[in-house]
Amino acid sequence: MIVPTGIFFYYQQGERLRDFPQALEGILDKDDVLFYDAFYPSKPKSSFDLEPIPRETLHKIHSSEMVKRVEATGDYKGAVYSAAGTVAAAIRIWSGEITNAFIFTGYGDHHAGSNFFGRGCYFNGAAMAVRELREKFSIKRFAIIDTDAHHGDGTWELFENDRDVLYICFCSGRFEEKNSNVNIHVPFRVTDSSYLALAKDAFGRWCKTFQPEIIFWNWGYDGTVGEYGDIALTPKLHFQMARDIKQMAQEMCTGRLVIILCGGSRRELALFLIPRIIEILAEQSV
Ligand SMILES: [Zn+2]
Ligand SMILES: [Zn+2]
């Protein structure tokens, strides 16, 4: 039986996702792709509404004082729907409705901690998804892989004392290991092949022994050439990473994988990268 890929979409004004969801034409027609959206006026055929995240879910991860501060920014709605996609995807994967998912976020995850946020992140969707899966399904072991160019200080803080969540962050910071949090140092200029080798080594050393039951991938493309976090990665690097992480998910946890769009600003790169990454997710074999 083919279990579909889910696309979770928050319709947002702005430059980088201006070509979406129309750039998904051809992908959305497939029987094995389901589209979940919020606020999109003319919905494609196979679609489901995406519900906002309940306040009590926000408060399980973030302080009520921080939630109030996010409300005051004016970006609260987008922040809530961005995290809602990740939580909904995780629950639907665990329910068997979909195998894997791609989350179009307006606002990312990894700079949002228990009582702080910033740099384009408001709420930590992956952290809320972990919490919900624990409570609803008694899932025990989670992996979060972070290949945004910057350090995920929020995710690090939320899980640094939690041995059941493996967090592997690839960034310019020094190597560090604390409980199940690992920071992998990436040089300022790096070739695709050396980045892939770093990732392969890290996955072999930490993921394989950890054996997660579901993998979240905080995927940013801000480390690509010409982006604001440029570390010299080429666009094609992201396709190979998607294949490698999908294969790892298939080997370890029957393919359960949630890709969360994080950093990256350029519209043409989004147009080049995102549809192909979703196609890789939806392929029946790597
Ligand atoms: Zn970043
Ligand atoms: Zn880091």
Side-chain angles (χ1 to χ4, degrees):
M1 189 184 76
I2 293 170
V3 184
T5 289
I7 300 173
F8 293 75
F9 193 81
Y10 169 62
Y11 186 67
Q12 192 195 32
Q13 304 294 334
E15 189 59 20
R16 90 163 161 172
L17 296 179
R18 188 163 288 181
D19 297 305
F20 293 89
Q22 56 274 27
L24 301 175
E25 202 176 322
I27 295 175
L28 295 179
D29 298 339
K30 294 178 180 174
D31 290 340
D32 53 353
V33 172
L34 299 180
F35 189 68
Y36 304 81
D37 74 327
F39 308 132
Y40 189 60
S42 57
K43 296 179 184 181
K45 200 170 55 175
S46 62
S47 82
F48 303 85
D49 286 336
L50 180 57
E51 301 295 329
I53 210 161
R55 273 194 98 87
E56 59 265 31
T57 307
L58 295 176
H59 288 147
K60 286 174 191 169
I61 299 297
H62 303 294
S63 71
S64 51
E65 188 261 326
M66 176 186 143
V67 174
K68 283 197 193 103
R69 277 189 282 136
V70 174
E71 277 180 307
T73 64
D75 290 328
Y76 181 77
K77 194 172 176 186
V80 162
Y81 275 99
S82 293
T86 305
V87 173
I91 289 172
R92 287 166 191 272
I93 285 173
W94 213 268
S95 307
E97 185 174 309
I98 52 177
T99 299
N100 52 31
F102 186 93
I103 320 300
F104 282 87
T105 58
Y107 306 104
D109 274 29
H110 73 164
H111 295 310
S114 59
N115 194 31
F116 62 91
F117 63 95
R119 288 173 285 170
C121 299
Y122 294 94
F123 295 131
N124 200 309
M128 279 183 258
V130 165
R131 182 72 184 235
E132 291 298 295
L133 289 185
R134 274 181 171 153
E135 288 186 1
K136 289 190 165 71
F137 303 98
S138 304
I139 314 303
K140 290 198 170 57
R141 301 175 75 72
F142 306 85
I144 302 173
I145 294 165
D146 188 336
T147 64
D148 184 282
H150 304 100
H151 180 59
D153 51 350
T155 310
W156 185 280
E157 182 245 4
L158 287 166
F159 294 114
E160 64 185 342
N161 296 315
D162 188 335
R163 290 180 180 277
D164 293 328
V165 179
L166 173 66
Y167 176 51
I168 305 182
C169 178
F170 294 85
C171 69
S172 60
R174 64 182 170 81
F175 175 80
E176 194 177 349
E177 188 172 11
K178 184 179 180 191
N179 293 322
S180 298
N181 276 13
V182 184
N183 201 67
I184 304 292
H185 171 70
V186 179
F188 176 57
R189 311 302 290 171
V190 64
T191 62
D192 287 359
S193 58
S194 54
Y195 192 94
L196 289 166
L198 273 177
K200 189 177 179 195
D201 179 62
F203 298 159
R205 284 172 69 184
W206 285 283
C207 291
K208 292 216 163 84
T209 48
F210 187 83
Q211 287 293 320
E213 294 165 272
I214 184 169
I215 298 172
F216 295 88
W217 177 18
N218 278 155
W219 171 60
Y221 63 88
D222 52 359
T224 317
V225 174
E227 272 286 346
Y228 58 85
D230 185 346
I231 52 171
L233 297 172
T234 78
K236 286 186 174 170
L237 176 276
H238 302 285
F239 301 142
Q240 192 56 48
M241 284 294 287
R243 285 188 206 98
D244 290 353
I245 292 174
K246 183 184 176 189
Q247 183 163 11
M248 184 166 68
Q250 285 175 326
E251 287 165 7
M252 291 180 188
C253 47
T254 62
R256 295 184 199 108
L257 172 64
V258 180
I259 303 183
I260 305 159
L261 174 62
C262 292
S265 64
R266 286 168 56 190
R267 175 180 173 182
E268 77 277 12
L269 265 180
L271 182 60
F272 178 68
L273 294 172
I274 292 173
R276 181 70 191 117
I277 284 189
I278 293 174
E279 281 172 353
I280 290 168
L281 264 186
E283 282 166 7
Q284 291 308 312
S285 57
V286 179

